[in-house]
C-alpha cells in the first residue's frame, strides 16, 4: 500500500468521496459489521460498486475478491490517507448561531480536528468561552494563529465580511479555509478552500420528492 | 429533453452531483459568464469533463460541441430536473444554535424552500418567531404539518431525540427528512432521508493539507 499511496495521481472527485467512505465504514463498524462488499458499501453511499473499486484501487489493495472489505482495516487506511490520524488545529471566525453550532459540534474532535480559538469583533463576546475555547478579538488573529499553530480557519461571519476575514486568515498564516458564507472568496492558490453550501442537501432531496409525487 | 428526462434511469451519484452543477453555474452566471466548457465546469467542481458530459447526457442535449454549455439554459434545466422550480415547505425541529442558524439561512428561499414552521419543546421558545416563522410545541406537529402542507422536516435536535423526532415527522405526514444529528435514523423506505455530516468538509481538507505539508 505504501508504494501506490505515494505515487498515485488521484482525482479530486475520488478524494471528495473518501470522507463519505470513511463515514459509512465508521457507521457500519458501530453497527458491528466486520466485512462489507463493494455492493453494500455502494448502496449505502449511493455510488456504484465499480466506482468504489476504482477509487480504492488508486491507493492499493484493500479487499478480498468474493469476500469484501475488512471494515476496520479499510477505515484505518482511508483515515490515514485523509490525514485523519494527524491532529489539525482549527479556528472559527464569527460567533453567530452557525459559528456557535460548529463550536459545539461533537463530530470534529474524534476525527482529529481540534478547535483552538474563536474570533469575533463583538466586545460582549470577546473573552467568553464556548466549550472551554476562548473568543478573541480578530485583531489578535495573527498572534493566536501562530502561537497555537492553527492550520484551518472556518468562516461563519456574515457574507459581507467573508472576503476580509479570508484575507486576514491568509495573512495570519492559515493553510486551509472552510467557507460557510454563500460567496466565492479569493485567496492565493496555495490556500485550500472548501466551500460549504447548506442548500445542496435540500436540492437533491427536492429531486427525489419531485419524482415521488409525480 | 422532455423524452429522455422522463425515461432515463439516473444513478444516485449523478443526482447528488446535480446540485453542485447548479450551484457552480449560478456562481458563474453571477460572474457574468454566459458559456462554459465541460473542462472549466469540471475544474470548478472537481470532477472530470467526461463525468460531466456523462451526467448531463442522461437528461438530454445541453451543450454545443466545441462551444460549451449555455450557463443560463443549463442552470434552468438542471433546476427543473431537481424540482427547484417547485415550492417546498419545510419545518425545522429543534431550536439550538444549528436550528437557529438554518432558520436564518438566506440561501434556501431563492431555491424554492420555504420555512413554514419550527418545532421545539422549550416553553420559553414556543410562540416566539425566527424570521417571521413561529415556533410551535412538537405536540402540534401533525396539525401544523397538515395545515401548512409541509413536505420536508429538518432534524436539529440533540442526538438522543433524533429518532423520536423522525418518527413524529413521519407520523405527521412528512415525505423527506434532512438529518443533522450524527446518528442513523430508521424510517419507512418511502421517506427520503438526507444525512448531513458537517465533518465531511473538513476531512477532504485534511487530505490536501497533509499532502501540502509533506
Amino acid at each position: 500500500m505504501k508504494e501506490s499511496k505515494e505515487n498515485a495521481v488521484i482525482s479530486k472527485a475520488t478524494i471528495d468521496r473518501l470522507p463519505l467512505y470513511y463515514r459509512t465504514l465508521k457507521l457500519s463498524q458501530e453497527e458491528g459489521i466486520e466485512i462489507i462488499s463493494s455492493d453494500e458499501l455502494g448502496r449505502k453511499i449511493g455510488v456504484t460498486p465499480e466506482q468504489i473499486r476504482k477509487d480504492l484501487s488508486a491507493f492499493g489493495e484493500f479487499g478480498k475478491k468474493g469476500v469484501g472489505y475488512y471494515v476496520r482495516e479499510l477505515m484505518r487506511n482511508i483515515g490515514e490517507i485523509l490525514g485523519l490520524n494527524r491532529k489539525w488545529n482549527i479556528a472559527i471566525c464569527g460567533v453567530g448561531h452557525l459559528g456557535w453550532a460548529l463550536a459545539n459540534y461533537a463530530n470534529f474532535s474524534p476525527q482529529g480536528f481540534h478547535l483552538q480559538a474563536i474570533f469575533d469583533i463583538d466586545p460582549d463576546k470577546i473573552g467568553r468561552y464556548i466549550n472551554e475555547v476562548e473568543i478573541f478579538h480578530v485583531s489578535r488573529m495573527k498572534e493566536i494563529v501562530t502561537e497555537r499553530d492553527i492550520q484551518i480557519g472556518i468562516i461563519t461571519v456574515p457574507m459581507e465580511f467573508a472576503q476580509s476575514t479570508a484575507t486576514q486568515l491568509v495573512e495570519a498564516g492559515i493553510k486551509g479555509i472552510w467557507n460557510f458564507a454563500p460567496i466565492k472568496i479569493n485567496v492565493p492558490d496555495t490556500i485550500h478552500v472548501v466551500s460549504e453550501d447548506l442548500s445542496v442537501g435540500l436540492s437533491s432531496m427536492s429531486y427525489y420528492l419531485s419524482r415521488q409525487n409525480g
Side-chain angles (χ1 to χ4, degrees), chain A residues 58-72:
Chain A
F59 301 103
E61 296 290 332
F62 288 123
K64 266 207 156 51
K65 234 179 177 148
V67 178
Y69 297 104
Y70 294 102
V71 172
R72 183 188 299 264

Side-chain angles (χ1 to χ4, degrees), chain A residues 89 91 116-119 126 134-151 168-174:
Chain A
N89 292 330
Q116 297 289 352
I118 302 167
F119 298 101
I126 313 300
E134 188 170 353
I135 304 176
F136 299 97
H137 192 275
V138 285
S139 62
R140 296 186 59 195
M141 197 185 275
K142 190 161 190 172
E143 167 203 343
I144 304 289
V145 163
T146 307
E147 191 183 285
R148 306 195 172 191
D149 192 23
I150 296 172
Q151 298 106 350
Q168 278 176 301
L169 282 168
V170 172
E171 281 167 5
I174 230 105

Side-chain angles (χ1 to χ4, degrees), chain A residues 1-8 58-62 77 80:
Chain A
M1 203 204 103
K2 282 135 215 125
E3 284 300 322
S4 52
K5 192 175 103 185
E6 302 305 328
N7 301 331
F59 301 103
E61 296 290 332
F62 288 123
N77 283 321
E80 206 177 281

